[in-house]
């Protein structure tokens, strides 16, 4: 999420038919700490360690360049080509970091269709229940119907993961909002409107009108 203003929301088709294979080589034991509690220092350390381990320690230094090269190599082996991807910090705090919402959606779809899916789902905060989402929709019908990762810094906010609608269908949701003048509460209001739409309930202030049906969502 860089410094130029943009708002991107991506919603996939229903994910049941998507396939692939998964390998949790580096962050298997750390996934719950990193994703659920979101400690930036640990995420960055893991990112640097991945590069060092991949290209041969101790001769290979723990640098962002090596970490990014290792991540891109791994993605390529899974058939995932994200030419816009830039991973500078490892925790998402660098202004240079880049990924398209569509690419993040593809990665989530790939992960969901693989054997490690249950571990990923268990590590993601549950909407209105725990982790960084414990205060959002805490007393509403959406509570418990999403497993998502948050991301917030000055001028940017993001939300990505899986949402279950009223009919029990599961959807991939990625929202990346980025503007130097962004007020965080406005960005989160957009995220919450998308969540309500996916779930199938009226947006806040909609006067009881039904939200557009999630079935209209298509892959970007």
């Amino acid at each position: 999420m860089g410094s130029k203003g943009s708002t991107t929301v991506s919603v996939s088709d229903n994910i049941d038919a998507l396939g692939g294979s998964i390998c949790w080589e580096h962050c298997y034991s750390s996934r719950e700490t990193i994703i659920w509690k979101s400690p930036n220092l640990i995420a960055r350390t893991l990112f640097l360690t991945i590069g060092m381990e991949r290209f041969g320690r101790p001769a290979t230094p723990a640098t962002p360049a090596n970490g990014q090269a290792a991540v891109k190599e791994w993605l390529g082996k899974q058939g995932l080509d994200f030419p816009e991807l830039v991973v500078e910090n490892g925790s998402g705090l660098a202004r240079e970091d880049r990924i398209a919402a569509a690419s993040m959606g593809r990665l989530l779809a790939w992960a969901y269709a693989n054997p490690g899916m249950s571990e990923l789902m268990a590590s993601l905060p549950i909407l209105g229940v725990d982790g960084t989402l414990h205060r959002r929709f805490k007393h509403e019908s959406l509570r418990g119907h999403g497993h998502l990762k948050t991301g917030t810094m000055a001028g940017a906010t993001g939300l990505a993961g899986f949402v279950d609608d009223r009919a029990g269908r599961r959807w991939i949701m990625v929202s990346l909002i980025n503007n130097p003048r962004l007020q965080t509460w406005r960005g989160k209001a957009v995220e919450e409107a998308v969540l309500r739409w996916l779930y199938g309930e009226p947006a806040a202030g909609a006067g009881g009108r039904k939200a557009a049906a999630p079935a209209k969502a298509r892959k970007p």
Side-chain angles (χ1 to χ4, degrees):
M1 294 184 282
S3 60
K4 293 183 178 179
S6 64
T7 300
T8 308
V9 176
S10 175
V11 180
S12 84
D13 281 331
N14 193 287
I15 59 183
D16 293 340
L18 300 170
S21 62
I22 197 166
C23 180
W24 300 97
E25 294 180 357
H26 296 285
C27 58
Y28 194 85
S29 62
S30 303
R31 67 190 181 277
E32 192 165 316
T33 297
I34 292 175
I35 299 178
W36 195 74
K37 295 183 179 179
S38 198
N40 294 317
L41 179 60
I42 294 177
R44 176 171 172 77
T45 301
L46 176 63
F47 170 66
L48 295 173
T49 302
I50 287 173
M52 185 175 64
E53 294 286 348
R54 170 61 187 88
F55 298 112
R57 58 185 302 181
T60 301
T63 64
N66 287 332
Q68 178 171 256
V71 168
K72 287 193 171 184
E73 179 186 71
W74 183 84
L75 288 170
K77 289 179 179 179
Q78 319 313 318
L80 298 169
D81 179 25
F82 305 151
E84 82 288 353
L85 178 66
V86 177
V87 187
E88 174 63 28
N89 180 276
S91 68
L93 289 179
R95 295 289 177 184
E96 294 78 16
D97 287 348
R98 296 285 190 278
I99 190 168
S103 296
M104 181 66 77
R106 285 180 57 203
L107 179 60
L108 288 171
W110 176 90
Y112 188 87
N114 283 269
M117 179 273 289
S118 60
E119 301 296 337
L120 173 63
M121 294 292 286
S123 71
L124 288 168
I126 301 173
L127 195 61
V129 175
D130 57 21
T132 55
L133 292 172
H134 73 283
R135 294 181 179 177
R136 299 176 75 171
F137 297 99
K138 192 175 185 68
H139 303 291
E140 299 186 40
S141 57
L142 257 167
R143 184 178 188 269
H145 287 272
H147 293 73
L148 303 121
K149 179 70 183 76
T150 60
T152 305
M153 61 187 297
T157 181
L159 187 66
F162 308 93
V163 180
D164 296 334
D165 66 19
R166 286 183 179 274
R169 296 170 297 184
R170 181 160 287 167
W171 301 85
I172 294 168
M173 177 226 174
V174 180
S175 173
L176 305 176
I177 304 173
N178 175 23
N179 190 298
R181 294 181 294 178
L182 176 71
Q183 294 175 298
T184 300
W185 71 269
R186 292 186 183 275
K188 295 190 180 301
V190 173
E191 294 170 354
E192 292 176 4
V194 174
L195 285 169
R196 293 181 191 280
W197 171 72
L198 273 175
Y199 182 63
E201 70 175 28
R209 291 175 294 173
K210 184 174 177 57
K216 299 294 184 181
R218 299 181 183 277
K219 282 194 296 186

